[in-house]
Amino acid sequence: MTNHNFNLDIITINKIIEMALLEDVGSGDITTNFLIDGDLKTNAFLKAKENGIIAGLQITEIVFKKLDQDIKWNQNFNDGDQVNAGDILVNFMGSFKAILTGERTALNFLQRMSGIATSTSNFVQAIKHTKAKILDSRKTAPGLRLIDKYAVNIGGAMNHRIGLFDMVLIKDNHIKIAGGITKAVNKIRSKLDSGIKIEVETSTLEEVEEALLSKVDFIMLDNMPIETMKLAVKSINGKALIEASGNVTLERVKEVAESGVDFISVGALTHSVKALDIAQYIGS
């Protein structure tokens, strides 16, 4: 598990934005292009319509500047800031055509990312009295993983694997095909480069014990009842780091954290996003 605190890779971000604009604009915004003549300019602003944590302002700016490189952009907030309903996030000025054409794509990014950051912050705040840390998962929108995980980071949580390439996670189907936890760990460890961590998914106390004997780095407690989870934490006793996973809701996360686990992964942060309500308005 890593807390990337990453700056967005601008090359990848540009590719994502260009794909999104191509999807939405295609050969041109016929409505706007037929209604607005010449190089008419306008002022515009983005306003929060509900409280939350803002994320994605840099991406929003890039969207508009892909359509008008001379856009004047003045942010009143930065990613990670708490905003309230009615707050003006950005004032900007530029091509009327660009501002109308880019609106939906820009808001799609900003609303989704801010929704992820807001939900993440709620989970983080719910367990701040414990040692546990919130993690995301790979349950991201295809093609948007970097953006989704950045938003999780902005919300105050840590990132789990970015992809299948940066950590070993032996799950139930891997265990079945290998013939058990011990066989799976030994086979992978014999071929693994040093420095790459190994995590094993477990669902019973017997599987926890087998994972411990295999001396893995992380043990995942998957969909365990709280009382079983507490027994597993006691059995592991610091010999491996512990991740709780499976059906973790905001209502349940506190008792999961209080069981003594080190990490709690929450797939819903990115697979069940509720976008933050943000609107664009034309005029000062």
Side-chain angles (χ1 to χ4, degrees):
M1 289 67 177
T2 52
N3 195 352
H4 290 273
N5 283 321
F6 48 75
N7 292 315
L8 288 167
D9 172 12
I10 199 65
I11 295 175
T12 302
I13 293 306
N14 274 314
K15 289 179 181 177
I16 291 171
I17 291 171
E18 286 164 4
M19 180 181 68
L21 284 170
L22 179 62
E23 174 184 68
D24 197 39
V25 181
S27 60
D29 177 357
I30 56 175
T31 309
T32 297
N33 289 344
F34 288 174
L35 282 176
I36 298 175
D37 298 324
D39 298 322
L40 187 65
K41 296 187 181 300
T42 189
N43 293 309
F45 61 93
L46 302 176
K47 183 168 77 171
K49 299 183 73 176
E50 62 180 320
N51 301 347
I53 304 297
I54 203 71
L57 287 170
Q58 179 186 4
I59 289 174
T60 308
E61 179 182 7
I62 294 172
V63 169
F64 286 115
K65 287 191 172 177
K66 289 283 183 187
L67 300 169
D68 175 10
Q69 63 182 0
D70 295 322
I71 286 270
K72 306 301 181 187
W73 187 261
N74 296 301
Q75 288 181 200
N76 300 315
F77 294 89
N78 294 309
D79 283 1
D81 286 347
Q82 170 72 46
V83 300
N84 298 313
D87 282 344
I88 305 301
L89 308 178
V90 184
N91 296 96
F92 55 113
M93 184 185 74
S95 160
F96 210 141
K97 287 182 179 179
I99 288 172
L100 289 182
T101 298
E103 175 180 1
R104 185 70 269 150
T105 299
L107 287 176
N108 283 348
F109 283 121
L110 186 61
Q111 290 179 305
R112 177 182 176 84
M113 294 175 71
S114 298
I116 291 171
T118 299
S119 177
T120 300
S121 178
N122 290 337
F123 275 90
V124 170
Q125 291 302 310
I127 65 165
K128 65 181 181 180
H129 62 293
T130 73
K131 70 172 183 177
K133 304 295 182 186
I134 298 294
L135 298 175
D136 57 16
S137 72
R138 287 168 40 247
K139 297 174 182 177
T140 54
L144 297 183
R145 180 162 298 165
L146 179 66
I147 283 174
D148 283 0
K149 284 184 172 281
Y150 169 82
V152 165
N153 214 226
I154 289 296
M158 298 176 69
N159 299 129
H160 204 300
R161 298 184 294 173
I162 296 297
L164 295 170
F165 49 83
D166 57 7
M167 181 180 174
V168 172
L169 177 47
I170 303 172
K171 296 176 72 68
D172 52 353
N173 287 327
H174 300 122
I175 292 166
K176 286 177 186 176
I177 197 71
I181 289 173
T182 303
K183 289 181 179 178
V185 172
N186 288 343
K187 186 169 185 178
I188 287 176
R189 187 172 276 146
S190 68
K191 302 174 181 179
L192 192 65
D193 291 337
S194 62
I196 297 179
K197 303 295 185 182
I198 298 177
E199 179 173 10
V200 170
E201 178 184 280
T202 64
S203 57
T204 67
L205 294 176
E206 291 75 19
E207 289 176 345
V208 168
E209 185 60 32
E210 187 176 357
L212 271 175
L213 292 173
S214 297
K215 299 187 185 320
V216 297
D217 303 289
F218 299 89
I219 296 176
M220 177 190 291
L221 311 180
D222 186 51
N223 283 295
M224 276 191 184
I226 293 296
E227 292 308 314
T228 307
M229 195 178 293
K230 290 178 180 177
L231 291 173
V233 170
K234 185 176 180 180
S235 174
I236 295 167
N237 193 29
K239 296 170 192 159
L241 291 169
I242 307 168
E243 174 191 346
S245 179
N247 192 33
V248 179
T249 63
L250 191 57
E251 293 72 29
R252 184 171 175 260
V253 71
K254 181 175 179 287
E255 64 176 348
V256 174
E258 290 173 349
S259 72
V261 299
D262 300 291
F263 303 102
I264 305 170
S265 55
V266 184
L269 297 179
T270 53
H271 75 55
S272 299
V273 181
K274 178 187 178 298
L276 194 70
D277 194 359
I278 300 167
Q280 175 175 300
Y281 296 92
I282 298 298
S284 301

